[in-house]
């Protein structure tokens, strides 16, 4: 594979779903691990030059910027009528609204938007997870309808869909046992900047962190389950065993549950835990990684995940992880982890207090190289 292969990649800096933003950044950074004659040209479709500049920071040598513009297509009258009838009966459309993108001189598109019109182009879709199957209460009626509509479209296509875990692939097969699309699992890895120039003592002073702390770096969505950590902290405080701090980072807004973060903070204040449980908000990515690197351990208590960036960050930094006992977490964490049930605050408290956080160091660069090679096979 040479530079004649041109891969179009959609990129958006979206603080409301920062995992998706990091996913693209880490994908392009991983391609640096390929041999020079195997590296494709990556055409980044972004809404602003500032977003493209973020991708340039990956150091990947074969980048091009194309301003993202698109025009919505229009369904035929017959399809619009069928959509209206089907939505009335089954609360979903039969046909997605077509979208015509201005993509030229690109051989492969990833992740392909559903409904994209691009004759002759290899289209690769990405479905991060199927959270809506397990927690439909976290989604609006229209979100549930749109997800099912998009997934149905992908399943009936002759294109390829990528999953980040075998767990997500298994969900897809159960939902669409007669799918026509090709499927692939590409487990992503993260690439970190050099963190040596950051002073951990300076960051601790900046954020009011003491000597020992455990970190939970996640956006404040209800399914991230930070409330379990607060209850575990309560248990430790009542036993006189809370001899460390718990540090939360992440954007403190859940559009589906706007009061979630503020309710957690109120709970912490009511329990008298404000000095032990810190909310740092959405901080600089490098500062966050430096805090992860120097933490005693990382907590990942989610009710549901596709393939967690938080977990990959911990693995890359050789940190021990306390994770909710999900199938995907077991898949992602074959070592250096302890697991607890999603509602078992007592077990989480015991695990935090025990501080049995020794790790077997990983050669994580191999994970990054494997990721790059798996993606290379996918687009070839």
């Amino acid at each position: 594979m040479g530079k004649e292969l041109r891969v179009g990649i959609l990129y958006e800096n979206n603080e409301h779903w920062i995992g998706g933003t990091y996913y693209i950044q880490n994908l392009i950074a991983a391609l640096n691990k390929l041999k020079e004659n195997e590296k494709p040209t990556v055409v980044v479709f972004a809404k602003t030059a500032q977003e493209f500049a973020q991708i340039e920071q990956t150091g990947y040598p074969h980048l091009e910027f194309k301003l993202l513009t698109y025009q919505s297509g229009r369904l035929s009258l017959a399809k619009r009528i069928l959509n209206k009838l089907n939505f009335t009966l089954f609360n979903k459309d039969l046909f997605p609204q077509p979208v015509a993108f201005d993509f030229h001189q690109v051989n492969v598109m990833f992740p392909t938007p559903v409904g994209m019109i691009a004759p002759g182009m290899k289209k690769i879709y990405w479905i991060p997870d199927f959270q809506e199957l397990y927690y439909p209460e976290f989604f609006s009626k229209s979100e549930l309808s749109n997800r099912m509509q998009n997934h149905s479209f992908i399943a009936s296509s002759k294109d390829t869909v990528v999953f980040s875990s075998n767990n997500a692939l298994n969900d897809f097969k159960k939902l669409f046992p007669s799918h026509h699309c090709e499927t692939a699992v590409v487990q992503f890895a993260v690439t970190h900047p050099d963190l040596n120039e950051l002073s951990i003592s300076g960051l601790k002073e900046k954020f009011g962190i003491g000597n020992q702390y455990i970190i939970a770096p996640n956006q404040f969505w209800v399914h991230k389950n930070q409330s379990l950590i607060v209850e575990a902290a309560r248990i430790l405080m009542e036993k006189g065993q809370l001899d460390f701090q718990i540090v939360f980072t992440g954007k403190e807004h859940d559009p589906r549950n706007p009061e979630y973060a503020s309710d957690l903070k109120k709970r912490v204040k009511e329990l008298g835990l404000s000095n032990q449980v810190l909310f740092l908000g959405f901080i600089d990515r490098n500062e966050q990684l430096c805090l992860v690197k120097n933490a005693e351990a990382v907590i990942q208590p989610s009710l549901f995940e596709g393939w967690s960036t938080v977990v990959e960050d911990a693995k890359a930094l050789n940190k021990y992880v306390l994770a909710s006992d999900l199938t995907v977490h077991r898949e992602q964490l074959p070592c250096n982890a302890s697991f607890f049930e999603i509602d078992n605050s007592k077990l989480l408290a015991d695990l935090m207090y025990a501080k049995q956080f020794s790790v077997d160091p990983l050669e994580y660069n191999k994970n990054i190289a494997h990721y790059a090679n798996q993606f290379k096979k996918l687009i070839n």
Side-chain angles (χ1 to χ4, degrees):
M1 182 180 72
K3 296 180 186 177
E4 68 275 6
L5 181 59
R6 299 170 61 82
V7 183
I9 292 186
L10 287 175
Y11 176 72
E12 179 184 8
N13 183 20
N14 184 357
E15 289 185 3
H16 297 288
W17 184 39
I18 200 63
T21 299
Y22 293 157
Y23 178 87
I24 299 300
Q25 292 176 358
N26 286 312
L27 169 60
I28 296 175
L31 297 180
N32 282 309
K33 295 292 186 180
L34 297 175
K35 297 176 182 178
E36 182 59 30
N37 65 346
E38 295 179 333
K39 292 176 181 175
T41 295
V42 175
V43 182
V44 179
F45 294 90
K47 293 179 180 178
T48 67
Q50 289 78 11
E51 288 184 331
F52 179 67
Q54 294 171 353
I55 296 298
E56 287 184 304
Q57 293 177 11
T58 64
Y60 188 70
H62 308 299
L63 292 174
E64 293 182 13
F65 169 52
K66 191 168 181 63
L67 189 66
L68 179 58
T69 59
Y70 62 91
Q71 295 179 334
S72 295
R74 183 169 174 80
L75 292 171
S76 67
L77 176 61
K79 288 184 177 180
R80 295 201 305 274
I81 292 173
L82 288 172
N83 267 355
K84 186 173 182 180
L85 177 62
N86 205 70
F87 193 87
T88 301
L89 294 174
F90 304 110
N91 193 38
K92 67 176 182 178
D93 293 332
L94 279 176
F95 307 100
Q97 180 72 14
V99 179
F101 287 79
D102 182 22
F103 293 132
H104 299 290
Q105 300 178 352
V106 173
N107 311 112
V108 185
M109 193 67 212
F110 179 81
T112 303
V114 171
M116 174 179 169
I117 300 170
M121 181 187 295
K122 183 173 183 178
K123 294 186 281 292
I124 304 174
Y125 299 97
W126 175 45
I127 300 180
D129 60 57
F130 292 91
Q131 183 190 152
E132 72 276 10
L133 300 182
Y134 299 88
Y135 294 97
E137 64 272 22
F138 294 158
F139 298 84
S140 68
K141 193 174 181 180
S142 62
E143 285 175 321
L144 291 171
S145 174
N146 288 338
R147 282 199 171 207
M148 178 55 72
Q149 174 186 320
N150 290 343
H151 296 164
S152 298
F153 178 87
I154 292 170
S156 62
S157 76
K158 299 288 179 64
D159 301 307
T160 301
V161 57
V162 171
F163 305 95
S164 298
S165 68
N166 288 294
N167 186 62
L169 172 60
N170 291 335
D171 282 340
F172 180 77
K173 288 179 177 179
K174 291 175 186 176
L175 190 61
F176 301 106
S178 302
H179 63 273
H180 298 289
C181 61
E182 297 292 325
T183 61
V185 174
V186 179
Q187 298 169 339
F188 69 80
V190 297
T191 300
H192 289 162
D194 183 3
L195 301 174
N196 291 326
E197 293 183 2
L198 285 173
S199 164
I200 185 58
S201 60
L203 289 180
K204 284 183 174 181
E205 183 178 356
K206 176 180 178 178
F207 293 118
I209 301 172
N211 289 328
Q212 288 193 331
Y213 64 95
I214 297 175
I215 193 166
N218 254 319
Q219 291 187 263
F220 279 78
W221 291 335
V222 171
H223 79 274
K224 296 299 184 182
N225 202 25
Q226 288 98 336
S227 57
L228 189 77
I229 301 176
V230 173
E231 288 308 300
R234 176 191 62 79
I235 292 170
L236 291 175
M237 177 194 67
E238 291 176 353
K239 291 181 176 181
Q241 296 177 340
L242 191 57
D243 57 350
F244 55 90
Q245 288 176 304
I246 298 167
V247 175
F248 288 114
T249 71
K251 192 170 184 65
E252 296 174 356
H253 178 66
D254 184 344
R256 302 161 186 161
N257 298 274
E259 305 302 318
Y260 175 59
S262 59
D263 286 346
L264 275 181
K265 290 181 177 181
K266 289 177 186 176
R267 176 68 172 156
V268 166
K269 187 175 181 179
E270 290 168 356
L271 292 170
L273 288 170
S274 297
N275 291 328
Q276 287 77 32
V277 179
L278 307 181
F279 295 84
L280 306 190
F282 187 74
I283 64 175
D284 176 81
R285 172 66 167 159
N286 288 6
E287 291 185 343
Q288 180 206 48
L289 290 173
C290 187
L291 290 176
V292 171
K293 179 181 178 181
N294 290 278
E296 297 295 304
V298 174
I299 311 178
Q300 172 63 328
S302 297
L303 303 178
F304 190 91
E305 286 290 333
W307 188 264
S308 170
T309 303
V310 169
V311 169
E312 288 304 309
D313 285 339
K315 288 161 63 176
L317 294 168
N318 280 308
K319 305 308 297 184
Y320 199 87
V321 181
L322 304 178
S324 52
D325 197 358
L326 306 178
T327 302
V328 69
H329 281 161
R330 294 274 184 177
E331 180 182 347
Q332 195 174 2
L333 284 163
C335 62
N336 298 336
S338 296
F339 301 94
F340 54 89
E341 296 87 354
I342 57 174
D343 58 353
N344 196 335
S345 55
K346 182 181 182 304
L347 177 55
L348 175 57
D350 291 343
L351 291 171
M352 287 194 291
Y353 181 68
K355 297 189 182 72
Q356 295 179 356
F357 302 146
S358 61
V359 297
D360 296 321
L362 301 175
E363 296 183 63
Y364 194 78
N365 276 332
K366 291 182 178 179
N367 295 44
I368 302 172
H370 179 71
Y371 178 33
N373 282 287
Q374 290 298 104
F375 188 74
K376 181 192 70 175
K377 291 178 183 178
L378 185 72
I379 61 178
N380 226 355

